[in-house]
Amino acid sequence: MPAFTEQFDIVVVGAGHAGCEAAMAAARMGLRTALYTLNVDLIAQMSCNPAIGGIAKGHLVREVDALGGIMGEVTDAVGIQFRLLNTSRGPAVWSPRAQCDKQAYRLKMKQVLESQPNLKIKQAEVADLITEPLDANRSSPAEQGLASEPRSTTSAGLIVRGIKLRDGRTVGASAVVITTGTFLNGLIHCGEQQYPAGRSGEPNAVLLGETLKRLGLRGCRLKTGTPPRLDGRTIDWSRFQEQPGDADPTPFSFRTKKVTHHDSQVPCYIVWTSEETRRIIRENVHRSPMYSGQIQSIGPRYCPSIEDKIVKFPDKEKHQLFLEPEGLNTHEIYVNGMSTSLPVEVQLAVLKSIPGLETADMLRPGYAIEYDSIDPTELERTLETKKINGLFLGGQINGTSGYEEAACQGLMAGINAALKVKQETPLILDRTEAYTAILIDDLISKGTNEPYRMFTSRAEFRLHLRIDNADRRLTPHGRRVGLICDAAWADFQAKLERHKSMTQLLEKTKFTSAMAEKIDDAELTPLLGQSLAQMLKRPEITIERLVPALKDLSPQFFIQESDENPRESTVNLPVQVRNELKSVETEIKYKGYLRQQDKAIERLKKSEQRNIPDWFDYRAVSGLSREMQEKLTTIKPRTIGQASRIPGVTPAAVSLVNIFIEIQAKRHNSPPDPVLA
């Protein structure tokens, strides 16, 4: 083992959205942490759209915040337009989205990282991992008095000891988290041109990519892309439909009272392609690397290029695009919906075919990028690799797309790396309590052959996984691992008490004539004598209609350290008060559905509590086909529940495994383990 130049508890490689969360989590948990990046001036760079959140993605950011992560707070500080999406539908799918100032986001994130004790930011290229063979005769974690995750890591053949930099220096670490995004063997395509890069203008990481292959981690090649950027001064804005932000934005962070740019939001604009756009792309689609055969990798299904849209939806006469500002101090405009790898001259022609963009000046062309990722079935639920003890992966390297998907993985990888070093029980969330857990479970159980994007439809119990209750679901976990400070915990406890007291008030209070007079709503008069909670169960009645009466019944609920006058109108309710009221209303209005889901959740949890021992031999299960044996042996599911979610594994196969756990346990001379630690 070489003498190390420096020694840290945790080393994080890559300072994108996953790396920032991983490094902050480890440092906040009291461990000496180093964050290595190719360029310290491009920390948390928004390579594609300068926006955070969106359908289901906003849920992930709320969960990151509830656990003690930083993406939500940074977004609230630099967001320049906020919108709550899907409000015409049920509250389970409401999701916040913010257009951010691209430069300000990067600078704010760097400021947050630099102010964090225990965290050092280093500029260098990581070229290799320093590993050594695991001692086959070493005692188990339990024998050493150490905590271990429910599935032990004894199947790992190597243990990580540190990293080697390209300049020859070596850095020791008890755990390493790799969050390299699109940089591993990145290759950019723009028309017939191609060149190696991690992002446009930045070098890729070839040496580390080759190291991971050499260490035996199965990989795959994925592709993503980005659209051109325009000079806003050359656009005819009068031709487009304006899309303003919400008048009173919903923050991403539960700790944010009011977003920074609340009163100075900027609009985005809705744009439509033309028949000429369609003609130009059809005539030049053969020059797109996606269709010429130059790119073999698979791109994101739910974020198709403009070429894909024209080819795959030939009956559509026009496609919607969005013009989105990249910041308050720049004229650069992002053309959302026009991701492309067509040649530059074709991109220019396409832009000029769009009404309102005839004179637009293209500042940067769009491009596609291919990069290496690791097959996520190589990972445990902690995001530690099965083959290399102490090595964790997070973000796009695991086959996902998007800043938000990266951030939640980075946070979980950082937390579990820190817990491993501290010899404490890992944090493993289950599918019933977080979209973050659904994402991780999908990846490690099913793998992916295309960039994975989160959707609310991936959740079995999405009515339980709302943005308003993310803190109630996850903040206790964040507190346990040390990411929620005393002040934030006190605020959370106070919020729980307000929620409880308001719910009880609505359930026990009858609607009186005095309240009806106060509310002055003739439609409510026939409901006299009913409890306020009973009234809220009617779909047409919202809690806002009851606010005039509730202000008299519980004036303290409406103060909450706000500058607002608690006697002001419903319209002027502080966003924090309004959101807490809507959360109470949701749980009253959907109480019956929530109870039904509670029963289904209990059934799922029972299957998750049936542990599959490490020593279980699928080849010895008579009646199990070779295909099933191979799939189960490759993925090594931890529980019967996880086994049932592996593609191609039938219910009959799961039943056989369940039976043979008992049979093999007797042969193995150890009792079956019915419950996870």
Side-chain angles (χ1 to χ4, degrees):
M1 188 61 57
F4 294 119
T5 309
E6 287 186 278
Q7 181 76 43
F8 293 94
D9 296 317
I10 306 279
V11 163
V12 179
V13 183
H17 304 281
C20 290
E21 295 290 351
M24 279 296 292
R28 281 180 169 176
M29 291 170 70
L31 298 177
R32 294 187 66 249
T33 306
L35 175 61
Y36 280 86
T37 176
L38 292 171
N39 189 337
V40 295
D41 294 323
L42 294 176
I43 287 172
Q45 171 78 322
M46 300 178 115
S47 314
C48 199
N49 189 359
I52 296 294
I55 305 301
K57 291 171 174 279
H59 288 71
L60 291 175
V61 182
R62 272 293 180 95
E63 292 181 357
V64 166
D65 182 76
L67 283 166
I70 52 177
M71 175 176 268
E73 289 180 286
V74 172
T75 301
D76 290 339
V78 304
I80 56 178
Q81 190 207 62
F82 292 81
R83 297 178 65 231
L84 188 60
L85 308 181
N86 264 356
T87 52
S88 62
R89 301 182 181 181
V93 295
W94 294 354
S95 203
R97 182 187 187 274
Q99 194 70 23
C100 295
D101 186 309
K102 184 175 180 176
Q103 182 184 40
Y105 189 95
R106 192 176 69 232
L107 295 175
K108 180 65 177 178
M109 186 65 78
K110 186 180 180 186
Q111 176 191 353
V112 170
L113 293 172
E114 288 179 337
S115 64
Q116 176 60 43
N118 299 320
L119 178 58
K120 301 290 185 184
I121 303 172
K122 307 275 188 174
Q123 179 168 305
E125 180 179 350
V126 176
D128 202 352
L129 292 175
I130 299 172
T131 61
E132 65 179 15
L134 276 170
D135 180 5
N137 298 316
R138 81 192 195 289
S139 57
S140 69
E143 290 169 340
Q144 297 174 27
L146 309 182
S148 64
E149 65 171 296
R151 169 173 292 282
S152 71
T153 53
T154 51
S155 60
L158 297 171
I159 185 168
V160 72
R161 293 303 187 193
I163 59 171
K164 183 176 182 180
L165 306 180
R166 187 165 189 168
D167 59 22
R169 287 178 293 162
T170 56
V171 181
S174 299
V176 174
V177 184
I178 296 182
T179 60
T180 46
T182 61
F183 278 72
L184 292 184
N185 289 310
L187 183 66
I188 282 180
H189 300 263
C190 187
E192 295 84 2
Q193 303 297 316
Q194 58 180 8
Y195 55 93
R199 279 190 294 246
S200 182
E202 299 178 59
N204 61 0
V206 175
L207 297 175
L208 184 57
E210 296 307 308
T211 291
L212 296 179
K213 291 178 184 176
R214 174 173 50 80
L215 291 172
L217 296 177
R218 292 188 305 274
C220 60
R221 195 90 169 136
L222 296 177
K223 170 260 175 190
T224 189
T226 192
R229 273 64 158 185
L230 309 180
D231 185 339
R233 294 168 294 186
T234 62
I235 294 173
D236 182 359
W237 296 103
S238 66
R239 306 282 294 278
F240 310 126
Q241 177 188 340
E242 184 176 299
Q243 187 181 56
D246 293 342
D248 193 12
T250 298
F252 277 88
S253 175
F254 290 100
R255 295 176 287 279
T256 300
K257 306 296 183 186
K258 189 175 182 180
V259 300
T260 301
H261 295 290
H262 182 284
D263 302 318
S264 56
Q265 297 185 73
V266 298
C268 296
Y269 293 85
I270 298 174
V271 186
W272 294 93
T273 61
S274 66
E275 179 56 40
E276 178 66 5
T277 308
R278 189 161 64 156
R279 183 193 66 78
I280 293 169
I281 292 175
R282 279 176 171 171
E283 290 180 359
N284 290 277
V285 72
H286 64 281
R287 300 184 64 193
S288 167
M290 290 292 293
Y291 289 91
S292 68
Q294 186 172 306
I295 291 180
Q296 300 293 328
S297 310
I298 301 174
R301 178 189 303 266
Y302 303 104
C303 186
S305 66
I306 190 69
E307 305 95 281
D308 268 342
K309 292 178 185 179
I310 299 298
V311 171
K312 293 179 179 178
F313 304 99
D315 55 323
K316 290 201 70 172
E317 296 180 359
K318 58 182 181 179
H319 294 270
Q320 191 177 56
L321 308 175
F322 297 88
L323 298 182
E324 301 174 339
E326 294 227 333
L328 297 177
N329 300 309
T330 178
H331 296 289
E332 197 164 351
I333 301 297
Y334 179 94
V335 189
N336 192 345
M338 198 187 146
S339 173
T340 183
S341 57
L342 286 164
V344 173
E345 64 272 20
V346 179
Q347 292 186 39
L348 284 167
V350 167
L351 288 168
K352 294 187 182 302
S353 72
I354 297 172
L357 299 182
E358 294 92 345
T359 60
D361 185 16
M362 184 170 70
L363 300 179
R364 312 183 199 210
Y367 62 85
I369 182 168
E370 287 184 288
Y371 57 95
D372 287 347
S373 67
I374 299 301
D375 180 350
T377 62
E378 291 273 12
L379 304 174
E380 301 282 2
R381 283 177 183 255
T382 57
L383 298 181
E384 183 181 19
T385 58
K386 295 174 181 176
K387 293 176 180 173
I388 306 170
N389 196 311
L391 177 64
F392 295 75
L393 308 181
Q396 281 185 277
I397 191 174
N398 290 339
T400 58
S401 69
Y403 310 146
E404 304 82 3
E405 288 89 344
C408 71
Q409 290 176 75
L411 178 64
M412 294 303 293
I415 288 172
N416 281 312
L419 290 172
K420 186 179 184 73
V421 173
K422 295 170 78 171
Q423 301 175 4
E424 296 180 9
T425 304
L427 177 59
I428 299 176
L429 305 174
D430 68 56
R431 295 180 70 93
T432 66
E433 59 184 338
Y435 278 97
T436 298
I438 292 168
L439 181 147
I440 292 172
D441 184 67
D442 282 350
L443 289 174
I444 67 171
S445 300
K446 304 174 183 177
T448 185
N449 60 0
E450 63 184 46
Y452 178 102
R453 188 211 192 276
M454 179 50 71
F455 288 102
T456 54
S457 59
R458 296 190 190 272
E460 296 91 340
F461 310 108
R462 63 185 183 183
L463 192 53
H464 276 270
L465 305 181
R466 308 183 308 273
I467 60 170
D468 65 271
N469 70 353
D471 55 346
R472 278 179 279 151
R473 291 184 277 118
L474 299 175
T475 295
H477 290 300
R479 177 68 171 179
R480 175 178 75 80
V481 300
L483 293 180
I484 304 297
C485 67
D486 291 343
W489 183 247
D491 287 345
F492 169 68
Q493 297 281 59
K495 180 183 174 184
L496 286 183
E497 186 57 38
R498 290 194 299 272
H499 185 94
K500 179 181 177 181
S501 63
M502 179 55 71
T503 302
Q504 291 174 343
L505 176 69
L506 292 165
E507 289 173 342
K508 73 180 183 181
T509 304
K510 303 291 186 183
F511 187 51
T512 65
S513 56
M515 292 180 197
E517 185 178 343
K518 183 77 176 177
I519 293 173
D520 191 23
D521 189 334
E523 291 182 5
L524 300 183
T525 304
L527 304 178
L528 288 172
Q530 292 190 16
S531 73
L532 300 181
Q534 283 177 306
M535 294 169 63
L536 283 174
K537 289 183 179 181
R538 294 172 175 264
E540 73 275 11
I541 296 179
T542 64
I543 201 165
E544 288 89 344
R545 295 173 71 176
L546 306 181
V547 163
L550 293 176
K551 284 184 174 180
D552 284 341
L553 292 167
S554 181
Q556 68 277 10
F557 185 94
F558 294 86
I559 300 174
Q560 296 187 31
E561 302 179 10
S562 169
D563 294 333
E564 306 283 350
N565 184 340
R567 302 287 178 181
E568 284 188 357
S569 69
T570 305
V571 176
N572 293 326
L573 280 177
V575 65
Q576 182 180 0
V577 174
R578 187 183 70 237
N579 289 342
E580 288 187 25
L581 284 173
K582 295 303 288 184
S583 184
V584 172
E585 177 191 358
T586 296
E587 300 206 343
I588 290 174
K589 199 178 290 289
Y590 296 94
K591 188 174 183 178
Y593 296 104
L594 288 167
R595 280 181 173 172
Q596 286 180 358
Q597 286 197 357
D598 284 337
K599 295 176 183 177
I601 286 172
E602 285 306 310
R603 289 194 295 270
L604 177 61
K605 283 186 174 180
K606 284 182 181 177
S607 69
E608 291 296 339
Q609 289 171 345
R610 181 59 158 158
N611 195 21
I612 301 175
D614 292 337
W615 42 257
F616 189 79
D617 184 3
Y618 295 100
R619 293 168 298 180
V621 178
S622 59
L624 198 63
S625 71
R626 180 169 295 181
E627 178 192 2
M628 300 297 170
Q629 291 176 3
E630 290 175 354
K631 285 186 176 183
L632 291 164
T633 301
T634 298
I635 295 174
K636 293 187 175 71
R638 293 173 53 249
T639 66
I640 289 294
Q642 186 187 351
S644 69
R645 292 189 293 274
I646 297 172
V649 174
T650 64
V654 174
S655 295
L656 279 172
V657 171
N658 198 19
I659 293 168
F660 270 79
I661 289 174
E662 301 283 353
I663 296 171
Q664 291 191 21
K666 293 175 183 176
R667 296 173 184 168
H668 197 264
N669 199 27
S670 65
D673 182 5
V675 180
L676 291 175

